[in-house]
């Protein structure tokens, strides 16, 4: 190691193999809001096909479609009524096959969303199941008799709270006089995975799509599929209500791993498919490795949630709380290190259809200039970490959260539930039938799921930003005149072009995808900086100013001693010579390369 007195920084992990998805960048499409081809106001498959050149130009490798199956859309397609048919809103199976072929012809892959913790209440399985207590499919879902309270009143089988609010996780069925479990909305009954017939039916769906030539799955809410034996009551954490948070009881139970291995061996393992499991409430410990370690045969990677929950008040749906940069650094450092040291694999994301826009949460949307700079800074952040990279539609434009909507304009079921429950409580407490609720806007503007779901702004000078020639199913983010794809593609200095360049740099620099991660200056409140080191490729240093201020940053000794450090890319034009102290401008990001340093 020339030019340094330090010992090797890392013992490199030689365990990971070279599967195609490791170096891939996945682009997540929310089909309803992507591109409408026939003027009905709803994005569709043909619209996606028309944008393949745009996606190819950006440089992504895999497209992930949020659910496009038949669904009554109580939770926007995450309530599936028929897993093997396309919702007519989006097109036909022939359209989908054409999409698959066009994506493959363009040299990209296609993955789909698999939602099997629950079905829709309109799924044939559930219709049968609820039809009578002796129906052969009764046991495909969780049915339980009522519990009788002290005053003879009918109570749900236990005190679990729904994940989507503060009410019960159980729903009473008048017809068959029992409760069914539904962790999410009442239109999303949980499947009973204890029943082997259910597991076989799920395997059949997965193989159906793999046989059709898809390249993998994002698997929804998958750590919810095992339920604790006996459905014990949750301890009382919130004395103000009967229903209690019960995630610690129903998430990550042992049986989940048995079911996942069985599923994997019967399906994914037989194809060269990639899998990413969505798993809220999994910490960076052995628990995470249990899902992703290659020796486990469960998933290739998971979506961990710790950074997404950093600004959420625990046990609230959308309650916002301030966060500090050192905490974010620790979260990423833990995940990067855990996977590197144990041969697991990370997924890298800061946005999806359930989240506010990253530039508004982790950067700044206060001025157009800051938005632009901080969106680029966040792009450099994500694309210089180890793992498979995910970009959510619009993130490549630096789209920000919606400003200026009134409470009544929000659509999403989580937001509506949040408002309704707060309102009911306020009415009870104040006796005012029409209490002022406008204070909730602060939380919703920051964390509401609608922020990620507004239609894609394709151009600044057509009605509805060129998303549709009709009436869009959901209003657009009002800022589309300044933030749209046509403007971004045509401007060399845009966020889009910055992403494109970062993906290009990443694709030819193994250190960024595979290297070890070493956090620098962990306590610094404004600068997030780290080294990336690989045994056979050049090392990198990334320096990110997570603030609107000018910062004089002393380069820590372990990064200073390394030889021949030079600037590769950043979001400002001119950058001073590398030295012991760097002057960082607001939201500045810099990527450095060490010419002679391997580990
Ligand atoms: O999300 C799972 C999940 O845990 C979410 O409930 C998340 O915590 C919430 O959206 C935060 O506001 C998946 C899907 O991504 C989501 O769109 C679905 O609503 C949910 O599953 C139910 O299928
Ligand atoms: Ca349409």
């Amino acid at each position: 190691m020339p030019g340094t007195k330090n010992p090797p920084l890392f013992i490199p992990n030689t365990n990971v193999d070279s599967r195609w998805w490791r170096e891939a960048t996945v682009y997540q499409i929310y089909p309803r809001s992507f591109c409408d081809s026939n003027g009905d106001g709803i994005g569709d498959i043909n619209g996606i096909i028309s944008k393949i050149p745009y996606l190819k130009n950006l440089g992504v490798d895999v497209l992930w479609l949020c659910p496009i199956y038949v669904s009554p859309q109580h939770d926007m397609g995450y309530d599936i009524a028929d897993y093997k048919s396309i919702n007519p809103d989006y097109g036909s199976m022939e359209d989908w096959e054409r999409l698959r072929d066009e994506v493959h012809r363009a040299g990209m892959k296609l993955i789909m969303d698999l939602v099997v913790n629950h079905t829709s209440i309109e799924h044939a399985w559930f219709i049968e199941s609820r039809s009578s207590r002796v129906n052969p499919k009764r046991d495909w879902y969780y049915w339980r008799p009522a519990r009788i309270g002290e005053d003879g009143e009918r109570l749900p089988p236990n005190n679990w709270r729904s994940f989507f609010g503060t009410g019960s996780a159980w729903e009473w069925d008048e017809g068959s006089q029992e409760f069914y479990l539904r962790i999410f909305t009442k239109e999303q009954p949980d499947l009973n995975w204890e029943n082997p017939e259910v597991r076989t039916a799920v395997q059949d769906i997965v193989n159906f799509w793999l046989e059709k030539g898809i390249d993998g799955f994002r698997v929804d809410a998958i750590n919810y599929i095992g339920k604790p034996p006996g459905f014990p009551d949750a301890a009382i954490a919130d004395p103000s209500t009967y229903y209690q948070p019960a995630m610690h009881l129903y998430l990550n139970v042992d049986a989940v791993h048995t079911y996942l291995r069985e599923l994997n061996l019967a399906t994914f393992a037989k194809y060269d498919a990639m899998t990413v499991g969505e798993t809220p409430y999994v910490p960076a410990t052995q628990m995470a490795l249990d899902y992703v370690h290659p020796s486990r045969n469960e998933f290739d990677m998971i979506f961990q949630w710790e950074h997404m929950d950093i600004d959420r008040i625990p046990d609230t749906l959308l309650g916002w709380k301030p966060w500090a940069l050192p905490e974010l650094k620790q979260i990423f450092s833990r995940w990067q290190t855990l996977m590197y040291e144990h041969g697991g694999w990370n997924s890298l994301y800061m946005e999806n259809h359930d989240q506010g826009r990253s530039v508004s949460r982790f950067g700044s949307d206060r001025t157009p200039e800051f938005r632009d700079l901080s969106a680029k800074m966040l792009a450099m952040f994500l694309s210089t970490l180890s793992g498979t990279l995910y970009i959510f539609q619009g993130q490549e434009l630096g789209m920000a959260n919606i400003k200026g909507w009134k409470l009544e304009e929000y659509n999403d079921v989580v937001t509506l539930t949040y408002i309704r429950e707060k309102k009911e409580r306020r009415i009870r407490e104040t006796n005012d039938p029409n209490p002022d609720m406008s204070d909730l806007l602060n939380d919703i503007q920051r964390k509401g799921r609608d922020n990620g779901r507004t239609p894609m702004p394709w151009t600044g000078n057509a009605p509805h930003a060129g998303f549709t020639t009709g009436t869009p199913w959901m209003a657009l983010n009002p800022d589309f005149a300044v933030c749209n794809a046509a403007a971004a593609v045509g401007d060399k200095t845009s966020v889009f072009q910055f992403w494109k360049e970062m993906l290009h740099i990443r694709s030819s620099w193994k250190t960024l995808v595979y290297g070890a991660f070493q956090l620098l200056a962990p306590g610094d409140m404004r600068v997030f900086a780290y080294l990336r080191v690989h045994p056979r490729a050049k090392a990198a240093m990334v320096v990110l100013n997570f603030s609107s201020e000018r910062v004089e940053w002393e380069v820590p000794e372990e990064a200073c001693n390394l030889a021949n450090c030079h600037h590769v890319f950043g979001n400002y034009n001119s950058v001073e010579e590398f030295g012991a102290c760097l002057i960082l401008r607001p939201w500045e990001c810099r990527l450095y390369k060490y010419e002679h340093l391997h580990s």
Side-chain angles (χ1 to χ4, degrees):
M1 268 209 307
T4 171
K5 56 183 193 283
N6 288 343
L9 293 167
F10 299 99
I11 300 162
N13 176 353
T14 49
N15 287 339
V16 301
D17 57 14
S18 56
R19 301 287 302 280
W20 60 266
W21 39 261
R22 294 195 195 278
E23 293 174 34
T25 298
V26 182
Y27 186 92
Q28 181 189 352
I29 293 178
Y30 194 69
R32 207 171 187 81
S33 292
F34 193 61
C35 179
D36 174 24
S37 71
N38 62 354
D40 66 358
I42 298 174
D44 47 50
I45 293 172
N46 286 329
I48 299 172
I49 295 175
S50 73
K51 297 299 179 185
I52 289 177
Y54 167 84
L55 298 166
K56 193 67 195 164
N57 178 28
L58 174 60
V60 298
D61 309 293
V62 182
L63 307 184
W64 150 25
L65 302 187
C66 285
I68 51 168
Y69 317 95
V70 169
S71 158
Q73 308 285 330
H74 290 290
D75 188 20
M76 303 320 298
Y78 284 91
D79 48 326
I80 298 172
D82 180 354
Y83 289 89
K84 294 183 182 175
S85 305
I86 305 294
N87 188 324
D89 281 350
Y90 302 132
S92 63
M93 190 58 95
E94 288 70 47
D95 294 331
W96 180 85
E97 284 164 358
R98 214 156 47 81
L99 170 67
R100 172 200 61 197
D101 294 345
E102 297 283 330
V103 168
H104 287 160
R105 195 164 306 136
M108 296 189 288
K109 309 247 187 200
L110 182 65
I111 69 172
M112 305 270 280
D113 222 302
L114 180 67
V115 187
V116 286
N117 172 68
H118 43 270
T119 68
S120 160
I121 37 165
E122 293 185 20
H123 195 290
W125 300 340
F126 188 73
I127 293 173
E128 275 196 53
S129 183
R130 92 187 303 175
S131 67
S132 104
R133 289 197 205 174
V134 294
N135 183 279
K137 290 217 164 49
R138 187 65 170 180
D139 191 42
W140 281 43
Y141 296 83
Y142 291 107
W143 291 97
R144 294 290 183 277
R147 181 153 86 176
I148 303 304
E150 280 168 16
D151 303 323
E153 76 279 28
R154 186 173 69 215
L155 290 172
N158 67 21
N159 68 355
W160 293 2
R161 181 185 280 192
S162 155
F163 198 85
F164 274 180
T166 53
S168 176
W170 298 87
E171 200 65 29
W172 178 247
D173 179 52
E174 208 42 57
S176 65
Q177 295 284 302
E178 280 188 322
F179 281 93
Y180 63 87
L181 180 69
R182 49 87 175 181
I183 303 279
F184 294 97
T185 71
K186 65 180 190 304
E187 293 86 6
Q188 292 166 296
D190 287 56
L191 279 166
N192 175 10
W193 277 68
E194 282 165 44
N195 184 335
E197 289 173 11
V198 167
R199 307 204 296 272
T200 310
V202 170
Q203 291 162 15
D204 172 62
I205 293 163
V206 173
N207 283 328
F208 171 84
W209 286 102
L210 288 168
E211 268 313 299
K212 276 190 145 318
I214 66 160
D215 303 295
F217 283 104
R218 176 266 188 186
V219 190
D220 188 68
I222 199 63
N223 54 337
Y224 297 65
I225 61 174
K227 306 296 188 291
F231 290 91
D233 272 330
I236 296 180
D238 177 0
S240 71
T241 66
Y242 179 75
Y243 301 110
Q244 300 297 317
M247 283 86 76
H248 56 288
L249 290 174
Y250 63 70
L251 293 180
N252 308 308
V253 307
D254 288 345
V256 172
H257 296 287
T258 314
Y259 302 150
L260 288 179
R261 275 197 297 282
E262 183 190 66
L263 175 66
N264 182 314
L265 295 175
T267 60
F268 313 130
K270 297 192 272 185
Y271 299 79
D272 190 17
M274 68 166 272
T275 55
V276 50
E278 188 214 23
T279 55
Y281 293 90
V282 171
T285 62
Q286 183 63 41
M287 190 194 278
L289 292 171
D290 285 349
Y291 284 106
V292 303
H293 196 273
S295 66
R296 303 271 305 177
N297 291 311
E298 296 188 22
F299 288 127
D300 295 324
M301 63 196 115
I302 54 173
F303 286 130
Q304 64 86 12
W305 278 64
E306 290 191 301
H307 61 307
M308 290 288 109
D309 281 340
I310 197 172
D311 61 356
R312 186 169 65 95
I313 301 170
D315 293 336
T316 68
L317 266 184
L318 298 175
W320 179 85
K321 74 173 173 66
W323 58 280
L325 189 61
E327 200 186 331
L328 190 72
K329 296 184 201 182
Q330 287 309 324
I331 292 172
F332 275 93
S333 188
R334 278 202 301 275
W335 284 93
Q336 291 285 299
T337 308
L338 177 82
M339 295 304 175
Y340 184 83
E341 288 182 348
H342 298 275
W345 196 246
N346 275 295
S347 65
L348 307 167
Y349 76 100
M350 289 196 109
E351 287 186 22
N352 61 38
H353 63 291
D354 293 334
Q355 301 293 334
R357 293 288 183 176
S358 59
V359 73
S360 303
R361 291 171 79 186
F362 300 99
S364 171
D365 60 12
R366 227 173 58 216
T367 67
E369 192 198 357
F370 281 176
R371 188 205 15 208
D372 199 82
L373 286 166
S374 62
K376 292 172 183 170
M377 185 277 287
L378 292 169
M380 180 176 284
F381 173 48
L382 272 191
S383 49
T384 54
L385 294 172
S386 177
T388 299
L389 178 57
Y390 292 78
I391 301 175
F392 178 60
Q393 70 182 47
Q395 187 176 0
E396 79 279 20
L397 306 176
M399 279 184 82
N401 280 352
I402 305 156
K403 286 183 179 149
W405 279 13
K406 300 197 195 66
L407 274 193
E408 304 77 65
E409 289 175 87
Y410 288 87
N411 291 299
D412 170 49
V413 61
V414 168
T415 299
L416 300 186
T417 308
Y418 188 65
I419 299 170
R420 178 172 46 76
E421 290 183 346
K422 292 257 183 205
K423 187 167 181 179
E424 284 165 4
R425 175 175 281 219
R426 218 165 272 185
I427 292 173
R428 272 200 314 275
E429 284 169 2
T430 62
N431 281 327
D432 174 355
N434 241 326
D436 177 26
M437 302 305 295
S438 56
D439 57 308
L440 297 192
L441 268 175
N442 184 43
D443 288 347
I444 294 164
Q445 276 169 356
R446 291 173 192 268
K447 297 191 61 65
R449 306 201 299 183
D450 287 305
N451 287 302
R453 299 179 178 192
T454 57
M456 265 294 274
W458 290 106
T459 160
N461 50 26
H464 312 303
F467 162 71
T468 179
T469 54
T471 306
W473 76 277
M474 177 184 186
L476 277 93
N477 190 320
D479 71 355
F480 73 78
V482 285
C483 183
N484 65 73
V489 171
D491 171 5
K492 281 205 207 73
T493 67
S494 68
V495 175
F496 177 94
Q497 297 295 349
F498 189 94
W499 264 109
K500 187 173 165 178
E501 181 60 21
M502 271 316 309
L503 297 186
H504 178 71
I505 293 172
R506 181 176 171 88
S507 69
S508 57
W509 194 356
K510 298 250 178 271
T511 307
L512 297 183
V513 177
Y514 295 102
F517 175 95
Q518 187 189 340
L519 185 61
L520 299 169
D524 195 301
M525 297 294 286
R526 293 174 298 186
V527 179
F528 194 160
Y530 44 90
L531 294 175
R532 301 295 316 284
V533 183
H534 188 283
R536 294 175 302 278
K538 288 171 184 171
M541 176 168 64
V542 181
V543 185
L544 311 165
N545 181 1
F546 268 76
S547 85
S548 305
E549 293 148 42
R550 179 179 174 279
V551 179
E552 289 181 23
W553 191 66
E554 301 277 341
V555 181
E557 203 192 348
E558 63 266 44
C560 245
N561 277 341
L562 308 178
N564 290 323
C565 182
H566 72 93
H567 185 253
V568 176
F569 194 47
N571 58 355
Y572 279 85
N573 268 336
S574 57
V575 168
E576 83 268 28
E577 290 261 310
F578 183 68
C581 180
L582 304 177
I583 312 289
L584 303 172
R585 291 154 285 188
W587 303 105
E588 183 162 9
C589 61
R590 295 183 187 183
L591 173 59
Y592 288 96
K593 184 181 271 186
Y594 295 101
E595 277 309 322
H596 298 306
L597 181 98
H598 303 161
S599 66

